[in-house]
Amino acid sequence: MFTDSHCHLSYPGLRENIPQVLADMQAAAVDRALCICTTLEEFDDVHSIAMGSDALWATVGVHPDNDDVREPTLEDLLASAARPKVVGIGETGLDYYRLGERSLADMEWQRERFRVHIRAARATGLPLVIHTRSASDDTLAILREEGGFGSADRGNVARGVFHCFTETDAVAKAALDLGFYISFSGIVTFRNAADLRETARWVPDDRLLIETDSPYLAPVPHRGKTNTPAWVPHVASALAQVREVEVASIADCTNANFERLFDRVLARVQAVNS
């Protein structure tokens, strides 16, 4: 079985076809998918989708690139995180890719939003789902400051995953040093992603995750189509090839890593089976 650790089933193209999405997942041996929240306005829909299937889970957060939405407070995130099947905080982070005429100083609102999410993760013990684009230095610096890394107080340190990883080896090593997981998407199957495949080759087995980021970034051989969690095995296959292991090995380690990181999932499964 495979786990899609990051998808957006509340987005058009998937939201209206949830029964088919679930059927396709089952046919492709995709056992679970994590439905990612990107705005507070969207959260109820994301949560409702997750509650509708034993195969689905949810997060709560506000994407860094959304600037015309309700700004999350710590109280907002804590209240939503307490709801059933919410297992992570995010998608959060920093994104300087579309600065336009703005300066880095103008992006302080993004940095403050990121800090609020980190504080929520520390307060709840839930992992962060991190998005970083053209902003890795600030992303890592704020994680060190707010997450407690390197400080004397390590009793409630933020943890999580750098999702849809496309950064350099140096950023991957820094994220791993901070205790984070690295998740690879369909980008790893793209022809022009040789550098990313090299990074994917050496990330430790116990820090590896796979995802689709559906409905975006459909993997080869489905490029240009609406992505779906049922296609996460293509990501696993690409990783298996570059790491010179069997696909089953990638499925096993990424499933175990998902349960270790998003441990509310494992706790619920154990409770149901006990």
Side-chain angles (χ1 to χ4, degrees):
M1 291 292 185
F2 300 90
T3 298
D4 182 356
S5 67
H6 193 112
C7 63
H8 299 277
L9 299 190
S10 61
Y11 283 20
L14 295 174
R15 179 64 183 96
E16 61 272 26
N17 295 308
I18 296 299
Q20 187 61 55
V21 169
L22 292 169
D24 291 344
M25 285 172 57
Q26 185 176 24
V30 179
D31 193 39
R32 292 175 297 213
L34 181 56
C35 303
I36 303 297
C37 178
T38 61
T39 67
L40 293 181
E41 292 87 342
E42 174 197 25
F43 173 71
D44 283 343
D45 198 23
V46 172
H47 186 250
S48 176
I49 292 169
M51 291 295 291
S53 171
D54 289 342
L56 302 178
W57 304 82
T59 68
V60 59
V62 181
H63 192 287
D65 209 23
N66 288 330
D67 58 0
D68 189 23
V69 296
R70 178 181 158 196
E71 196 63 35
T73 65
L74 179 59
E75 291 73 22
D76 289 329
L77 296 175
L78 295 183
S80 295
R83 291 169 70 171
K85 300 196 77 176
V86 177
V87 298
I89 303 294
E91 171 172 3
T92 184
L94 299 175
D95 193 322
Y96 298 162
Y97 184 72
R98 298 183 182 88
L99 281 179
E101 297 181 357
R102 298 174 295 185
S103 68
L104 291 183
D106 294 330
M107 307 306 286
E108 182 59 27
W109 63 272
Q110 265 198 19
R111 293 186 286 274
E112 181 55 30
R113 179 186 289 176
F114 187 25
R115 293 179 188 276
V116 170
H117 283 78
I118 297 171
R119 292 165 192 167
R122 293 190 70 179
T124 61
L126 296 180
L128 288 159
V129 178
I130 293 177
H131 168 109
T132 184
R133 192 177 188 191
S134 302
S136 57
D137 287 348
D138 280 358
T139 300
L140 292 165
I142 291 173
L143 282 171
R144 293 186 182 104
E145 294 166 12
E146 290 285 341
F149 301 102
S151 71
D153 174 20
R154 298 188 60 82
N156 199 11
V157 175
R159 60 198 174 101
V161 55
F162 276 61
H163 107 90
C164 193
F165 193 83
T166 56
E167 302 293 327
T168 64
D169 277 7
V171 175
K173 290 173 182 176
L176 291 167
D177 286 345
L178 292 177
F180 282 75
Y181 290 68
I182 304 291
S183 180
F184 294 96
S185 71
I187 293 175
V188 79
T189 71
F190 296 178
R191 182 180 300 176
N192 62 352
D195 289 346
L196 184 62
R197 283 189 287 275
E198 176 57 25
T199 302
R201 183 186 63 78
W202 60 261
V203 169
D205 284 349
D206 62 354
R207 298 292 191 84
L208 188 68
L209 290 171
I210 54 176
E211 65 174 88
T212 60
D213 205 10
S214 303
Y216 310 114
L217 304 175
V220 175
H222 301 292
R223 285 202 69 178
K225 300 179 182 178
T226 298
N227 203 0
T228 172
W231 292 344
V232 79
H234 293 294
V235 180
S237 180
L239 292 180
Q241 183 174 0
V242 74
R243 294 163 75 91
E244 299 181 339
V245 298
E246 297 295 326
V247 175
S249 175
I250 300 297
D252 288 346
C253 75
T254 54
N255 277 332
N257 294 341
F258 181 81
E259 292 182 351
R260 187 181 307 113
L261 178 59
F262 297 101
D263 46 18
R264 274 195 188 175
V265 174
L266 182 58
R268 174 159 172 160
V269 170
Q270 290 174 334
V272 169
N273 291 336
S274 63

